[in-house]
Amino acid sequence: MSFINYASREINLKIVYYGPGLCGKTTNLQYIYQRTAPEAKGKMISLATETERTLFFDFLPLSLGEIKGFKTRFHLYTVPGQVFYDASRKLILKGVDGVVFVADSQADRLDANVESLENLRDNLEEYGYQLEKLPYVIQYNKRDLPNVTPVEELSRLLNPGKVPEFSACAPKGEGVFDTLKAVAKLMLISLKKNEK
Amino acid sequence: MLGSQSSLVLFDEEFSNITSILEKLLVEANAKALFLVDKDGQLISSTGETDQMDTTSLASLTAGNIAATGGLAKLLGEKEFSVLFHEGEKDNLHLSLVASRVILVVIFDQRSSLGLVRLRVRKWNEELEKIFNSLEKKAKEKGAGNQSFFAEITDEDIDNLFR
């Protein structure tokens, strides 16, 4: 979970982007990387196959500024979406502070979304986390494509708990920062609550 | 498996103790650089020739490496593999677990040797373990002391981050 360093006055938080294969997790990170000022970001690391499918994880460190004199740093990770990488996927969730579930809006990926969300719940439970208790937001990606499921239906299926949800088109950046801000905010609020 | 869901909290006193141990180990092991990384990928402290290194990435990849190796260990019925060694043409990496919670990374070149690094790491590992064990206790006891800081964060502070 979070790492609070009183000596260097830093708060470090870990965000994981989860979702089915090819839903756009890496694209989210790439867009954030492109649009962030150089001084606020570190190097983006992608452990991917030769065909640019995520093999282990993508990693992007961001530092957003200070809260009460503490530097807040966010470590963004994606998981490999393909079903057979489940063992690696589980490892990335370790120590997570906030989760973004990226859903693929295309109608033929509906089952893949449901399955991936189930898988997220199962993997979190193995660490003793409950998705509902974590800072958690959903992004409906690829809204620009034809044959997309209406947001209302996606919401009904994937978001019964009514967590913050965002429509997105990750390559163009629509909804990308809204999603990130929402989860970051929830994490800081949760940090505040937990310490009370 | 996670130990606990609690945050890792580091105070000034422990931080300086950790740093001084790392500095001693650096000299004794004749190493190039040392890192202490949380298993979740957060850099705790570093010393040595770290100027040219991307320390944040190094921390994250180290944690990924240890996590993957830990997964392999479990598949084989081991609790964990507590030491990893990567040999390069010039530089080598020695990774070891401290108190099952943090990772000690030693980067060394031809000025040292695997044997020397292993020996010195084993010696100082115990000291580091003591610190992290006491830190866990202290964080629990001091829990009350930290409250004020986080409770004082206002919604406005949070919004300001995203301007």
Side-chain angles (χ1 to χ4, degrees), chain A:
Chain A
M1 300 299 272
S2 55
F3 169 40
I4 301 155
N5 189 339
Y6 280 83
S8 57
R9 302 192 78 74
E10 280 177 14
I11 307 171
N12 289 279
L13 296 161
K14 176 173 177 177
I15 306 174
V16 174
Y17 282 69
Y18 211 92
L22 294 174
C23 70
K25 301 173 287 292
T26 302
T27 313
N28 261 274
L29 256 65
Q30 282 167 341
Y31 186 81
I32 295 167
Y33 180 76
Q34 285 160 15
R35 289 304 164 99
T36 308
E39 64 273 17
K41 69 186 173 192
K43 209 160 117 194
M44 179 165 166
I45 289 180
S46 286
L47 302 180
T49 65
E50 283 180 4
T51 51
E52 292 194 13
R53 301 296 305 267
T54 304
L55 180 65
F56 195 6
F57 59 80
D58 303 303
F59 168 70
L60 174 61
L62 286 182
S63 68
L64 281 187
E66 292 194 355
I67 284 196
K68 298 258 181 266
F70 274 70
K71 279 176 234 140
T72 49
R73 291 185 201 277
F74 294 94
H75 289 177
L76 279 54
Y77 286 83
T78 67
V79 297
Q82 295 177 86
V83 176
F84 54 88
Y85 287 137
D86 193 44
S88 314
R89 199 157 41 235
K90 202 181 300 175
L91 295 174
I92 310 298
L93 281 176
K94 193 172 185 306
V96 64
D97 294 296
V99 178
V100 174
F101 184 81
V102 181
D104 188 331
S105 295
Q106 297 176 93
D108 59 354
R109 296 297 285 163
L110 201 56
D111 289 346
N113 291 324
V114 174
E115 196 181 311
S116 176
L117 190 58
E118 268 310 298
N119 175 257
L120 169 61
R121 273 180 213 286
D122 291 348
N123 282 340
L124 283 173
E125 268 169 29
E126 285 199 29
Y127 287 121
Y129 301 146
Q130 269 180 294
L131 184 58
E132 285 70 23
K133 291 192 179 158
L134 278 176
Y136 161 53
V137 302
I138 299 185
Q139 179 187 84
Y140 307 118
N141 196 18
K142 308 198 185 183
R143 295 313 298 172
D144 58 323
L145 294 186
N147 301 326
V148 291
T149 310
V151 169
E152 297 71 33
E153 195 182 336
L154 284 170
S155 179
R156 192 176 51 78
L157 266 170
L158 302 173
N159 192 10
K162 296 287 163 232
V163 298
E165 51 186 14
F166 301 89
S167 293
C169 170
K172 292 182 194 150
E174 284 162 27
V176 169
F177 274 97
D178 294 336
T179 310
L180 173 65
K181 281 177 194 173
V183 73
K185 203 168 168 179
L186 287 179
M187 288 191 306
L188 290 166
I189 292 170
S190 136
L191 203 59
K192 193 176 145 179
K193 268 191 213 152
N194 287 344
E195 296 292 332
K196 263 186 189 166

Side-chain angles (χ1 to χ4, degrees), chain B:
Chain B
M1 173 173 187
L2 260 187
S4 69
Q5 288 201 24
S6 64
S7 314
L8 175 63
V9 181
L10 198 61
F11 303 99
D12 287 316
E13 188 194 340
E14 283 77 10
F15 186 74
S16 67
N17 288 346
I18 287 168
T19 310
S20 87
I21 289 181
L22 291 188
E23 278 163 5
K24 282 179 209 153
L25 177 56
L26 182 80
V27 174
E28 286 188 11
N30 236 350
K32 199 171 168 184
L34 293 187
F35 293 86
L36 208 56
V37 178
D38 179 42
K39 260 185 157 183
D40 299 341
Q42 329 270 19
L43 180 68
I44 297 171
S45 182
S46 64
T47 184
E49 301 165 29
T50 58
D51 297 349
Q52 301 298 316
M53 290 179 199
D54 179 350
T55 52
T56 313
S57 301
L58 190 135
S60 152
L61 288 171
T62 302
N65 195 340
I66 287 285
T69 313
L72 282 173
K74 287 208 174 62
L75 284 180
L76 295 177
E78 281 289 327
K79 189 170 150 257
E80 60 191 16
F81 291 127
S82 52
V83 174
L84 294 182
F85 173 58
H86 300 301
E87 190 177 304
E89 273 178 18
K90 279 190 247 147
D91 290 340
N92 313 293
L93 261 178
H94 183 278
L95 312 177
S96 55
L97 283 171
V98 178
S100 297
R101 163 122 218 198
V102 292
I103 307 158
L104 175 62
V105 184
V106 182
I107 301 174
F108 63 98
D109 54 20
Q110 79 286 352
R111 289 173 286 179
S112 185
S113 68
L114 177 59
L116 181 67
V117 170
R118 284 194 72 154
L119 190 71
R120 300 303 188 214
V121 164
R122 211 176 290 163
K123 175 182 164 192
W124 288 105
N125 194 322
E126 228 170 274
E127 297 298 316
L128 286 171
E129 277 195 5
K130 273 185 213 156
I131 295 179
F132 280 96
N133 288 336
S134 80
L135 199 58
E136 212 161 302
K137 266 189 220 151
K138 194 169 169 182
K140 273 181 200 150
E141 288 161 11
K142 266 209 172 181
N146 301 329
Q147 281 176 0
S148 53
F149 165 67
F150 288 104
E152 273 171 23
I153 296 179
T154 61
D155 290 349
E156 204 189 335
D157 289 332
I158 295 174
D159 285 333
N160 279 342
L161 273 187
F162 298 105
R163 276 208 183 138

